[in-house]
Amino acid sequence: MSLVGGSLLLVFGLSRGGRSGALAALGGGALIYRAARGRSLLYDALGLREEPTHVARVASLAHCRGVTVRRTVAINKPVEEVYAFWRAFENLPRFMRHLESVTCDGPRRSRWVARAPAGRRVTWDAEIVDERPNELIAWRSLDDADIRNAGAVAFERGPGGRGTTIRVSLAYAPPGGKFAAVIAKLFGEEPSQQVQDDLRRLKHLMEAGEVPTTEGQPRGES
Amino acid sequence: MKAVCWYGAGDLRVERAPDPEILNPHDAIVRVTRAAICGSDLHLFGGFIPMMKSGDILGHEFMGEVVEVGAATTAVKRGDRVVVPFAIACGQCFFCQRELPSLCDNTNPNAGTLEKLYGASGSGVFGSSHLYGGDAGGQAEYVRVPFADVGALKIPEGVDDEQALFLSDILPTGYMAAENCTIRSGDVVAVWGCGPVGQFAIRSAYMLGAERVIAIDRFPERLHMAETHGKAEVLNDEDLDAVEELRDRTGGRGPDACIDAVGMEAHGTGVAALYDRAKQAVRLETDRPTALREALHACRKGGTVSIPGVYGGYVDTLPLGAAFAKGLTIRMGQTHVHRYMRPLLNASSAARSIRPS
Ligand SMILES: NC(=O)c1ccc[n+]([C@@H]2O[C@H](COP(=O)([O-])OP(=O)(O)OC[C@H]3O[C@@H](n4cnc5c(N)ncnc54)[C@H](O)[C@@H]3O)[C@@H](O)[C@H]2O)c1
Ligand SMILES: [Zn+2]
Ligand SMILES: [Zn+2]
């Protein structure tokens, strides 16, 4: 995603909301790529055919590096079940390590609380900008969020009826100043590894009903 | 409690450790009544498996009495006498549902690390390195057993502890090694290594229809056991070149199937062995594949090489050309213990006739 070197454009539009704007917001990097290759990787990643018809606002964030992560995981459960689990946003902190809570506030609005360094918290409000049952959920933070971010998850029946394949895209606009550290904590040094670990935990939870752990087990003294 | 703990290569001690507690809803706590030592423990003892941590509790072959269960554990109850497979399996994932429990997707808390190393992670394993989850093992007074309903097998009355204990690993391991050979009646099977795995592989090969089993090792007492208890023909590879000798004993054709029950710390002689030891010492090669090389060389055209012996990383000069030219089938992997425990317990011909003592 470092296609354009020092100045990475992140698309963060959505003044008018709506699906196209939100999806555009998911991947500034992807859209840049699209400009270069004539296709949107994000759309490919999500398995969507439609492209956004307009981009409401493009923010140029010079000297910053944006984070766009795409990962996929196969879950041995029916699409309906996986979709329902994710759609209940309160479940997200059960597998996304750095979220403390998500509370729903009406059918489309939610309030997110993430753990920040030094025991602090960061909160923002988000809204669902698109949802198609058993296919897609897309959301983005509201405009006044300190950490502007957006996400989408696409659900697909696995080959031969083997469970569900989900494809997740997350995009974070890099904030300056004190929030830079929060982003570092949210996504770690290897953002895509972190998301992969989150998705593995989701798989553990959905398939086996628990996340394996050895934290708190005994070891020899001395 | 007291437990066998790892503090470094060649440094195992019995130390005090806190008692284990239930950490997850599908857990159970087992009071260990019997535990065994495996060749795999020797690889840990030798420091050949990465990601061990000081104080790790060893032991993946154990049995005992259930003393506590987690909220979601229903089949296993306090007071049950159980034997537990060395691999931990969830029973729900793609692999568990295909009866490949040691490839379970949901039991290795450190799956991410193995994914980087191997591209994918198998199940968690008791008392092993943190690569395989690092779940504290059963060479201890108590052990936490995740997914106890899936793994822990209740032992019926009339089966004594010693018979049941070996269902946790080596009896199924020897059996799967032989099963992987798709033996037809009349076959000749060669087995490298006469440790516990080799001994059980020998008996299983006969059970599955082999006409002759040839056992290879260098220790007379182990060969003697293979001969007297296992009814195998023996071959001491300190005196004889195993590959030559096997050809000679099979009319030049080679054994129909070959089992490498030795793994990554094979002994060897000559230049190749010195080369392997030197490279392993400086970690240029992680595994010494002497037995595997011989098996690939010796096996007849169209035959099967079955590898229960553990390998962890990279090996040099494996004769892949010979394997390819002879159209060999090669099968390997951690044993799917869950798949075999019940049948082997039931088959009086197996479990009950096999009395280690
Ligand atoms: N696949 C599995 O799930 C599984 C389960 C249990 C054990 N194992 C592995 O199986 C292997 C054997 O286990 P074990 O408990 O019997 O070990 P062991 O150490 O008791 O026995 C190994 C035997 O191999 C002999 N040997 C060494 N080099 C040889 C060579 N070049 N040719 C012939 N024999 C040779 C040794 O003298 C020894 O008797 C180990 O690698 C162990 O880690 C695998
Ligand atoms: Zn073992
Ligand atoms: Zn599983």
Side-chain angles (χ1 to χ4, degrees), chain A residues 149-212:
Chain A
N149 66 88
V153 50
F155 304 79
E156 198 181 290
R157 233 164 277 283
R162 291 174 182 177
T164 304
T165 305
I166 69 175
R167 290 170 207 288
V168 175
S169 296
L170 298 175
Y172 280 79
K178 57 180 180 164
F179 291 110
V182 178
I183 278 289
K185 167 103 180 182
L186 279 171
F187 270 122
E189 288 187 347
E190 289 178 82
S192 83
Q193 181 63 42
Q194 200 128 313
V195 175
Q196 170 114 336
D197 291 343
D198 284 346
L199 291 185
R200 196 184 307 103
R201 275 189 288 272
L202 168 67
K203 176 187 173 71
H204 293 327
L205 267 179
M206 295 242 50
E207 294 184 352
E210 65 183 46
V211 176

Side-chain angles (χ1 to χ4, degrees), chain B residues 271-328:
Chain B
V271 182
L274 285 176
Y275 167 88
D276 287 324
R277 270 186 191 280
K279 288 196 85 170
Q280 196 178 38
V282 294
R283 297 295 190 263
L284 273 174
E285 186 179 38
T286 53
D287 307 351
R288 302 196 302 261
T290 318
L292 182 54
R293 279 192 200 118
E294 289 182 355
L296 291 168
H297 272 303
C299 195
R300 75 146 160 84
K301 289 185 285 184
T304 300
V305 172
S306 160
I307 314 173
V310 166
Y311 290 88
Y314 297 90
V315 298
D316 284 356
T317 53
L318 210 59
L320 205 58
F324 180 85
K326 292 193 288 181
L328 298 184

Side-chain angles (χ1 to χ4, degrees), chain B:
Chain B
M1 65 169 183
K2 283 191 282 185
V4 176
C5 304
W6 185 97
Y7 289 93
D11 185 5
L12 293 187
R13 301 176 217 156
V14 175
E15 285 288 349
R16 299 215 67 88
D19 288 353
E21 289 169 10
I22 300 276
L23 300 178
N24 259 334
H26 297 95
D27 288 353
I29 305 290
V30 168
R31 184 178 61 82
V32 177
T33 54
R34 282 223 175 12
I37 299 170
C38 175
S40 306
D41 295 326
L42 299 181
H43 303 320
L44 301 172
F45 179 67
F48 292 103
I49 310 277
M51 273 186 80
M52 289 294 291
K53 293 184 193 162
S54 185
D56 280 348
I57 299 174
L58 299 192
H60 59 270
E61 305 188 6
F62 59 88
M63 57 166 301
E65 185 197 326
V66 176
V67 292
E68 201 185 335
V69 295
T73 304
T74 51
V76 166
K77 303 231 166 6
R78 281 182 66 165
D80 285 353
R81 190 167 63 113
V82 295
V83 55
V84 178
F86 75 81
I88 306 167
C90 79
Q92 305 291 328
C93 68
F94 178 91
F95 298 96
C96 283
Q97 290 185 346
R98 276 158 190 73
E99 287 200 277
L100 302 166
S102 73
L103 300 175
C104 177
D105 268 344
N106 294 317
T107 52
N108 181 352
N110 298 323
T113 314
L114 260 197
E115 277 169 16
K116 280 194 201 128
L117 263 172
Y118 294 163
S121 167
S123 74
V125 173
F126 288 104
S128 187
S129 120
H130 292 263
L131 272 181
Y132 301 96
D135 285 85
Q139 287 166 13
E141 288 178 278
Y142 295 91
V143 60
R144 179 183 71 100
V145 176
F147 297 102
D149 280 351
V150 182
L153 177 73
K154 202 173 162 181
I155 307 163
E157 304 241 340
V159 177
D160 59 43
D161 281 8
E162 283 214 344
Q163 290 171 292
L165 176 60
F166 297 99
L167 292 170
S168 61
D169 179 349
I170 39 168
L171 174 52
T173 296
Y175 186 84
M176 186 170 113
E179 193 184 67
N180 274 345
C181 296
T182 45
I183 295 170
R184 300 191 196 173
S185 74
D187 275 0
V188 180
V189 178
V191 178
W192 277 256
C194 295
V197 172
Q199 301 287 346
F200 282 126
I202 292 166
R203 291 166 209 213
S204 302
Y206 278 125
M207 254 170 56
L208 292 169
E211 187 161 315
R212 292 169 61 198
V213 178
I214 304 170
I216 305 149
D217 205 308
R218 63 166 52 176
F219 294 107
E221 62 282 7
R222 294 199 154 191
L223 287 168
H224 180 73
M225 190 181 209
E227 197 171 26
T228 51
H229 294 270
K231 311 278 181 283
E233 301 170 29
V234 295
L235 193 172
N236 188 327
D237 71 344
E238 218 168 22
D239 312 331
L240 296 162
D241 179 301
V243 178
E244 279 296 304
E245 181 66 13
L246 285 169
R247 238 172 241 145
D248 194 58
R249 294 194 199 176
T250 54
R253 188 159 63 192
D256 300 284
C258 294
I259 297 175
D260 168 5
V262 176
M264 64 197 293
E265 290 181 72
H267 57 233
T269 49
V271 182
L274 285 176
Y275 167 88
D276 287 324
R277 270 186 191 280
K279 288 196 85 170
Q280 196 178 38
V282 294
R283 297 295 190 263
L284 273 174
E285 186 179 38
T286 53
D287 307 351
R288 302 196 302 261
T290 318
L292 182 54
R293 279 192 200 118
E294 289 182 355
L296 291 168
H297 272 303
C299 195
R300 75 146 160 84
K301 289 185 285 184
T304 300
V305 172
S306 160
I307 314 173
V310 166
Y311 290 88
Y314 297 90
V315 298
D316 284 356
T317 53
L318 210 59
L320 205 58
F324 180 85
K326 292 193 288 181
L328 298 184
T329 299
I330 304 175
R331 305 186 72 181
M332 63 188 101
Q334 300 273 28
T335 306
H336 301 297
V337 177
H338 301 61
R339 192 162 90 190
Y340 299 98
M341 274 206 310
R342 239 168 266 273
L344 286 177
L345 177 70
N346 294 340
S348 48
S349 54
R352 294 187 190 185
S353 69
I354 294 175
R355 282 180 180 276
S357 49

Side-chain angles (χ1 to χ4, degrees), chain A residues 4 11 16-17 22 42 91 96 108 115 128 144 148 151 165 172 176 185 191 220:
Chain A
V4 283
V11 179
R16 270 183 270 164
L42 179 59
N91 283 329
M96 293 184 171
R108 300 177 87 81
R115 291 191 188 92
I128 289 184
D144 58 354
R148 291 177 302 157
T165 305
Y172 280 79
K185 167 103 180 182

